[in-house]
Amino acid sequence: MQEPGTEPAAQPQYRVSVPTNTTLQEGISLTAAQQQVAEAGLQYPMLAKPVWADGREGSHALAVIATEAGLQQLVEGRAGGDFGLPVLLQQYVPHGGCLFKVGCLSG
């Protein structure tokens, strides 16, 4: 119950920004990937991340896709190591060395 004449305490405001992103599924062609990237509004450089982040081997892999040739290598399975589709493509955002990784659980 609020006392008469008192204002409720202001609630803090928080903001979490999520970079522009899209998911490339297995079997996508280069032309379709290029179109999907354009429709999502992504520009180079982009980050490619596995769609799973559950701790399995490779789940924390990261590839920088700096050019169209890099996107082609990714789509054709030539990105190196065990890295391949499906991936989350995310716009690279300069962060000044301060980066927070947030995970979500559902249940």
Side-chain angles (χ1 to χ4, degrees), residues 23-105:
T23 302
L24 298 182
Q25 298 296 336
E26 285 185 68
I28 194 168
S29 69
L30 177 59
T31 302
Q34 291 165 329
Q35 183 176 356
Q36 190 173 328
V37 164
E39 288 174 358
L42 290 164
Q43 298 178 359
Y44 297 99
M46 298 177 284
L47 302 178
K49 303 175 179 181
V51 294
W52 61 86
D54 58 5
R56 71 179 89 164
E57 187 174 338
S59 65
H60 297 288
L62 177 71
V64 177
I65 309 300
T67 64
E68 191 87 17
L71 181 63
Q72 183 175 359
Q73 288 177 334
L74 178 66
V75 168
E76 293 176 354
R78 299 182 293 118
D82 294 329
F83 204 86
L85 300 176
V87 296
L88 173 72
L89 280 184
Q90 188 177 63
Q91 185 64 59
Y92 172 77
V93 178
H95 50 75
C98 182
L99 184 63
F100 297 95
K101 185 169 186 172
V102 178
C104 299
L105 301 175

Side-chain angles (χ1 to χ4, degrees), residues 12-31:
Q13 298 294 312
Y14 300 100
R15 186 174 142 228
V16 175
S17 297
V18 177
T20 303
N21 62 79
T22 191
T23 302
L24 298 182
Q25 298 296 336
E26 285 185 68
I28 194 168
S29 69
L30 177 59
T31 302

